[in-house]
Amino acid sequence: MERRPNLPRAGFDALDALAADLAKLDTALTDLAAQGDEAIGRSVARMRQDLMAFEPSVTLLGQVKAGKTALVNAMAGWTDLLPSDVNPWTSVVTSLHLTPHAHEQTHRAAFRFFGADEWDRLMQKGGRLGEMADRVGAAGEVQKIREQIEAMREKSRARLGKKFELLLGQSHDYGYFDKNLIERYICLGDLFDEEAQSTDQGRFADITKSADLYLRAPEFPVPLCLRDTPGVNDTFMMREQVTIQAIRNSRLCVMVLSAHQALSSVDMAVIRLISNLDARDVIIFVNRIDELSDPAAQIDEIRQSIRETLRAQNGPDEAEILFGSAYWGAKVLANDIETMTEDSAEALLNWAAKAIPPGGEDQSPAQMVWDLSGLPALFRAIGTRIASGAGREVLTKTARNAMNLANSLTVSEAITVSAQGGLPDGIDPHAIRTALDAIADRHLTALKKDLSGIVASYHARSDRAHGNFLDRATYSLIKHLETHGEAPIWSYDPTGLRMLLRSAYTVFGTQSRNAAQRRYDAAATEIAALYAASFGGVVNGLGIEAPAPPDLAAPVVLGQTIALDFKDGWWASWWRRTRGYKAFAESFRAMIKAETDCILAELKYDHADRLQVSALKTLDGFLQEQRALLTDLANKATDGTDAVDAALSIDEQAHRKRALEDTMRTLSHCAA
């Protein structure tokens, strides 16, 4: 298993520009540390570590056989890194951590197993699907699920023996990885396949929850995590749960469709998940166009069909749609385009006639095929979003924090120069600390009060939407029974509930972030005024950069499957087992309430609490930092200038001033 060392770099322009800005900011931070004292040096060191740890992630979603894994392999520059035929029993999220940096942590692997509580839930309840079936009274379906799970458990015991229970909740870490090691954890194999068993294939795959592979990719401008998720069409809906978690951990998602089966019924579950993301954070990649008979004619039709389906399903219909072939990309990486299948070669030529712009024929065959594979366009789309999204945010946040350090250093330099006669009389460090404590107490208390009111309003709005939905759905059910009787199976679309809950959540997030920003700005203004009152003309209109409010987590849980999403199967079974109008209504309301209560709880408490805590923590951290800077400056002003600073010549002081001004200009550029 070998990685191609010279992955074509087409499409990396936006990431190249981001890497250049990150490098400039890191240089400015290094200069700032050299100009400051030990305390500033420690603060700068933390900022540089945060910059080095910056690793935007991209999650690839889609049904089994859409070609996600083959696409991930091609994007990473490997032709066979991850097995592309994963058995539906497995539920493994595999993250490839690609970094241009050379350090000890590259080329290693970490595998995490399901916890004992997760496994017990699967065994006792049948996972999410078993809970739903049990809730709607489909006892026969529950029994089938539990029989399947029991078979799965026995197969796992046969593989792992006495180690089975001991491994739950554990992890295995390796300082290397190869094909056999990867397949041992994420590719199940066949229990009765002697060849597979002899190679230990899939030994831990039943209980593996996630896999992380760390490898060096020097041609990538910035570190990048590519997260390959299992298909969502599995028996126990374990995959839906791990996919929801993967989306939460990524800012950007790529929905991978198969060209010959774009947006199948299975993909509707994925649409429900991504419909709760901003269209800007979703890219749709239609893979396997090498299998189309006439891609030049069919691709426009497929694009239009996808747009219409997304619009009809309340999906992100403005999301960018790209077309390509991981197969073509893999052929380029393997330097093996001459051995392409005849059908694929014909599709390539057909698509080339339409897709290659004038002058593109001058490229080498490999570069031409690489462009037609759609990978450069995908990298370009990903890079543009990272650069304007997570990349811009980390630049702005770090630069603004550094500017506050640089501002304090500017005041410190001015104190050194103006120690004789240039400072107000009677600077009192204790009074400054007292004033800062008052500012901190006032703004933290006010923000807590503001957020508490916003949360209370949000809870009331979401509960009202939930109750109204249950009332309308129950009324619809009764009218159906009165009009048609019990023979035709009634169904009700829960899209309305999802839209109302998303609207309430979005309003809550906007109000919370606005309240936090107002409080941050007000605190920064008061602290700037305290600088002016404490140090007089030395400050010269010094401004304090307020922090940015934390982001609101995407409400991905709203896409979770509930019983009403099924039009047959368990729903039909529940319907046939229930008798009497009153029983129908009461059972229905209780069932759907139980199904949706968990969604409301996560949004109302987990997500809302997390945003509140983060908003308050950001303000408190900002105030603590300002307290340390102001206290240090006050002590310096009262205790006298540093002996080294005082001994500097006028020319040396001027040089330090110019260097600090240069650093500030770079920080201002990065913060813009």
Side-chain angles (χ1 to χ4, degrees):
M1 185 171 67
E2 185 176 353
R3 184 177 189 275
R4 174 171 173 154
N6 56 337
L7 175 70
R9 300 194 76 260
F12 283 161
D13 305 37
L15 291 180
D16 283 333
L18 174 61
D21 284 341
L22 289 169
K24 288 178 183 177
L25 179 55
D26 187 66
T27 299
L29 291 175
T30 302
D31 293 341
L32 181 61
Q35 297 162 34
D37 57 15
E38 184 177 345
I40 287 180
R42 288 195 297 269
S43 296
V44 169
R46 287 194 294 269
M47 293 180 190
R48 294 189 67 202
Q49 287 177 353
D50 290 342
L51 278 187
M52 182 64 70
F54 174 63
E55 184 197 57
S57 60
V58 181
T59 294
L60 285 87
L61 309 167
Q63 63 168 301
V64 172
K65 301 300 184 184
K68 295 189 307 298
T69 301
L71 182 60
V72 169
N73 285 343
M75 292 174 69
W78 300 67
T79 57
D80 61 348
L81 175 62
L82 302 178
S84 57
D85 186 15
V86 179
N87 188 293
W89 284 99
T90 58
S91 302
V92 182
V93 174
T94 306
S95 300
L96 303 186
H97 302 271
L98 307 165
T99 177
H101 310 303
H103 52 71
E104 295 178 356
Q105 292 189 332
T106 55
H107 213 78
R108 64 183 178 89
F111 303 94
R112 304 286 180 265
F113 300 135
F114 282 108
D117 56 337
E118 294 171 307
W119 193 261
D120 288 343
R121 179 186 174 192
L122 178 64
M123 292 296 107
Q124 296 169 11
K125 296 287 189 178
R128 171 90 179 116
L129 200 53
E131 291 177 2
M132 290 170 55
D134 191 33
R135 189 172 288 145
V136 300
E141 298 293 344
V142 174
Q143 182 59 34
K144 291 177 185 177
I145 291 172
R146 289 177 178 164
E147 288 174 359
Q148 290 176 315
I149 290 174
E150 184 61 31
M152 177 181 174
R153 179 168 62 178
E154 290 308 312
K155 185 169 60 173
S156 297
R157 288 185 183 280
R159 290 178 183 275
L160 301 173
K162 296 179 180 180
K163 296 180 179 180
F164 176 68
E165 278 83 5
L166 296 176
L167 287 169
L168 295 176
Q170 303 300 311
S171 63
H172 286 177
D173 299 312
Y174 297 88
Y176 76 99
F177 61 80
D178 57 25
K179 187 177 181 67
N180 290 334
L181 180 67
I182 293 172
E183 290 188 350
R184 192 184 310 164
Y185 287 88
I186 70 174
C187 188
L188 187 60
D190 188 341
L191 179 64
F192 304 104
D193 185 336
E194 294 183 1
E195 182 179 351
Q197 292 304 301
S198 67
T199 60
D200 211 21
Q201 184 187 63
R203 177 171 175 77
F204 303 103
D206 284 331
I207 62 172
T208 303
K209 182 177 182 179
S210 66
D212 291 89
L213 306 180
Y214 300 82
L215 54 150
R216 183 148 186 252
E219 66 281 351
F220 276 72
V222 298
L224 186 66
C225 174
L226 299 178
R227 187 167 286 120
D228 183 22
T229 62
V232 296
N233 47 332
D234 69 298
T235 309
F236 311 119
M237 291 177 68
M238 291 171 62
R239 291 166 184 254
E240 183 183 68
Q241 301 304 297
V242 297
T243 297
I244 286 174
Q245 186 60 47
I247 296 175
R248 286 196 189 110
N249 295 334
S250 288
R251 180 76 170 269
L252 181 61
C253 293
V254 176
M255 182 175 179
V256 184
L257 305 176
S258 177
H260 56 77
Q261 195 181 11
L263 282 178
S264 68
S265 59
V266 172
D267 291 315
M268 294 302 104
V270 181
I271 289 179
R272 280 203 306 271
L273 297 178
I274 66 173
S275 66
N276 297 294
L277 302 174
D278 191 295
R280 176 73 180 168
D281 297 328
V282 176
I283 300 168
I284 296 176
F285 188 85
V286 183
N287 191 25
R288 303 174 73 169
I289 65 171
D290 56 286
E291 298 177 6
L292 296 176
S293 59
D294 185 6
Q298 293 171 276
I299 281 177
D300 287 341
E301 297 174 1
I302 295 172
R303 180 184 287 107
Q304 182 61 29
S305 174
I306 292 172
R307 291 271 183 229
E308 292 174 356
T309 304
L310 289 173
R311 197 172 296 115
Q313 298 293 327
N314 296 299
D317 59 299
E318 296 180 1
E320 185 171 3
I321 302 176
L322 304 173
F323 291 81
S325 166
Y327 173 78
W328 291 342
K331 284 296 183 181
V332 174
L333 293 173
N335 195 26
D336 196 27
I337 59 176
E338 293 82 3
T339 64
M340 197 178 295
T341 65
E342 183 177 347
D343 288 346
S344 182
E346 289 181 1
L348 178 68
L349 294 175
N350 176 282
W351 180 229
K354 180 175 181 178
I356 294 179
E361 302 86 351
D362 297 335
Q363 296 177 311
S364 69
Q367 186 61 60
M368 192 180 303
V369 176
W370 184 252
D371 287 347
L372 292 170
S373 74
L375 287 165
L378 181 56
F379 278 130
R380 193 171 296 112
I382 290 172
T384 299
R385 285 157 178 77
I386 290 175
S388 62
R392 172 47 51 193
E393 288 172 10
V394 73
L395 282 168
T396 300
K397 177 183 176 180
T398 306
R400 285 183 176 179
N401 289 342
M403 286 176 69
N404 286 333
L405 294 179
N407 281 330
S408 73
L409 190 54
T410 299
V411 175
S412 178
E413 294 291 329
I415 289 174
T416 299
V417 174
S418 306
Q420 301 299 322
L423 294 172
D425 294 333
I427 291 178
D428 185 352
H430 176 71
I432 291 176
R433 287 194 293 270
T434 300
L436 277 170
D437 288 343
I439 292 173
D441 181 68
R442 182 166 57 256
H443 289 291
L444 284 169
T445 300
L447 182 55
K448 287 178 183 177
K449 182 179 179 180
D450 292 343
L451 293 176
S452 178
I454 292 170
V455 167
S457 176
Y458 165 56
H459 283 190
R461 180 175 177 177
S462 58
D463 288 342
R464 187 165 55 250
H466 190 207
N468 289 341
F469 171 81
L470 291 174
D471 290 342
R472 289 194 303 271
T474 304
Y475 175 78
S476 172
L477 170 60
I478 293 174
K479 290 293 292 182
H480 172 90
L481 293 170
E482 291 174 347
T483 305
H484 304 288
E486 301 175 12
I489 296 176
W490 170 82
S491 64
Y492 197 77
D493 190 353
T495 299
L497 175 62
R498 289 188 170 106
M499 293 178 66
L500 289 171
L501 293 180
R502 180 181 180 183
S503 176
Y505 181 73
T506 301
V507 170
F508 154 75
T510 300
Q511 291 178 343
S512 297
R513 296 184 80 249
N514 288 343
Q517 189 64 73
R518 286 194 299 270
R519 194 55 56 187
Y520 297 168
D521 291 341
T525 299
E526 289 192 28
I527 291 172
L530 182 58
Y531 267 96
S534 301
F535 303 107
V538 169
V539 172
N540 290 328
L542 173 73
I544 301 298
E545 294 290 334
D551 288 329
L552 179 70
V556 185
V557 69
L558 283 174
Q560 177 175 290
T561 303
I562 62 176
L564 284 175
D565 293 312
F566 291 101
K567 306 306 179 187
D568 51 20
W570 295 285
W571 181 251
S573 178
W574 173 82
W575 181 272
R576 296 187 183 101
R577 281 174 171 76
T578 309
R579 288 293 177 266
Y581 286 11
K582 186 176 181 180
F584 263 118
E586 291 180 353
S587 297
F588 165 78
R589 188 181 182 93
M591 177 189 67
I592 300 304
K593 186 177 186 302
E595 278 281 286
T596 51
D597 273 348
C598 60
I599 296 176
L600 259 70
E602 183 163 338
L603 293 176
K604 287 169 54 180
Y605 302 107
D606 293 351
H607 283 40
D609 289 350
R610 196 176 304 123
L611 182 62
Q612 286 188 87
V613 169
S614 183
L616 289 166
K617 183 178 179 181
T618 297
L619 177 58
D620 185 59
F622 169 70
L623 293 168
Q624 292 294 340
E625 180 186 71
Q626 290 301 315
R627 178 189 177 93
L629 294 174
L630 261 169
T631 301
D632 182 67
L633 290 173
N635 290 335
K636 182 173 184 179
T638 55
D639 295 343
T641 60
D642 185 273
V644 175
D645 290 341
L648 292 175
S649 67
I650 294 177
D651 288 343
E652 289 171 325
Q653 291 177 3
H655 175 74
R656 287 182 57 165
K657 181 180 179 181
R658 287 194 298 271
L660 185 55
E661 289 173 347
D662 289 341
T663 300
M664 283 293 292
R665 276 193 291 272
T666 301
L667 294 176
S668 297
H669 168 75
C670 292

